[in-house]
Amino acid sequence: NAGVMQNPRHLVRRRGQEARLRCSPMKGHSHVYWYRQLPEEGLKFMVYLQKENIIDESGMPKERFSAEFPKEGPSILRIQQVVRGDSAAYFCASRSNEKLFFGSGTQLSVL
Amino acid sequence: TQLLEQSPQFLSIQEGENLTVYCNSSSVFSSLQWYRQEPGEGPVLLVTVVTGGEVKKLKRLTFQFGDARKDSSLHITAAQPGDTGLYLCAGAVRTSYDKVIFGPGTSLSVIP
């Protein structure tokens, strides 16, 4: 059974470029959480989605950030016009019963 | 706004010592989870506690959920270098869905 898959593992972007982070949940899971983590800190909630619907985006910055989870394909976290402050590890997770299963994350570095 | 606090933030101990990590909040959670995270990887679930006062043991790890379901502790007996990592507590708040928020973590280093 494949776990939660995230790609790319590492993404380098220059200021002003766009970053696209992909997440495929575990088989049979139709909801994903996205979190952001800075070094030596905990995970900050960003957004919770089900297929074709955003349930809670209260943790998403109002500008430049968007997320989607189409009927087919992975969930996408999109960051437009990246700035250095966007550099972080981005994790997604899918849920079964009381358990969250995390991917290995995407480390975004903005030069 | 629900907030989780963890203490201590950093902990460095010798192999064989015991330690306790705390997770506190002013909010009530429907469940609380503990995760361990290693560098460059996602968090891995250790345990979920659901009932106030619940105690769960996982080998040398003992987890307790407070009676009021607002706090929790993780106790490690005879720590080993393999226990090194970032320990995160996470609380589930039941709204229209289970929103899971994380504490800032306790970075544990066990020195051989």
Side-chain angles (χ1 to χ4, degrees):
Chain A
N1 289 327
V4 177
M5 304 299 291
Q6 287 189 250
N7 65 82
R9 285 294 307 270
H10 302 276
L11 182 61
V12 179
R13 285 288 178 265
R14 297 191 179 279
R15 282 179 294 171
Q17 291 184 321
E18 179 180 286
R20 279 179 172 252
L21 288 62
R22 289 178 290 277
C23 169
S24 296
M26 292 183 73
K27 187 177 181 180
H29 293 186
S30 59
H31 296 71
V32 297
Y33 299 77
W34 282 95
Y35 291 86
R36 176 164 63 178
Q37 185 178 36
L38 294 173
E40 299 297 330
E41 292 188 8
L43 282 74
K44 301 295 185 188
F45 170 80
M46 298 183 74
V47 63
Y48 176 66
L49 311 104
Q50 70 179 46
K51 282 189 181 289
E52 300 185 284
N53 193 20
I54 297 174
I55 305 296
D56 181 358
E57 57 181 348
S58 60
M60 290 271 278
K62 294 288 186 280
E63 298 179 349
R64 301 187 299 106
F65 284 71
S66 63
E68 63 176 4
F69 191 10
K71 185 177 180 180
E72 301 290 338
S75 175
I76 305 288
L77 179 65
R78 181 183 179 203
I79 311 172
Q80 295 177 289
Q81 299 175 331
V82 296
V83 300
R84 286 198 174 137
D86 297 332
S87 295
Y90 292 83
F91 291 95
C92 77
S94 64
R95 183 180 176 92
S96 175
N97 297 324
E98 301 287 333
K99 302 176 182 179
L100 280 184
F101 296 90
F102 281 86
S104 296
T106 294
Q107 180 64 52
L108 173 64
S109 298
V110 180
L111 304 179
Chain B
T1 301
Q2 299 86 12
L3 287 175
L4 278 166
E5 298 177 341
Q6 287 187 242
S7 61
Q9 185 178 0
F10 297 98
L11 188 57
S12 181
I13 62 171
Q14 293 291 134
E15 182 177 0
E17 293 183 347
N18 301 332
L19 67 116
T20 302
V21 175
Y22 299 93
C23 175
N24 298 286
S25 176
S26 58
S27 301
V28 176
F29 296 101
S30 59
S31 66
L32 196 138
Q33 301 169 341
W34 284 92
Y35 293 80
R36 188 165 79 95
Q37 184 181 24
E38 297 190 19
E41 296 298 330
V44 176
L45 179 68
L46 296 173
V47 76
T48 299
V49 284
V50 178
T51 305
E54 183 177 2
V55 176
K56 280 191 174 179
K57 292 193 174 185
L58 185 66
K59 296 184 180 178
R60 294 177 293 101
L61 279 60
T62 301
F63 305 86
Q64 185 163 7
F65 200 13
D67 291 341
R69 308 209 319 271
K70 294 182 179 181
D71 55 84
S72 180
S73 63
L74 158 59
H75 181 80
I76 301 179
T77 303
Q80 299 177 1
D83 295 328
T84 294
L86 181 67
Y87 288 82
L88 297 157
C89 68
V93 180
R94 189 149 291 166
T95 57
S96 58
Y97 74 102
D98 276 340
K99 183 172 185 176
V100 180
I101 62 168
F102 281 78
T106 292
S107 181
L108 171 65
S109 177
V110 182
I111 302 166

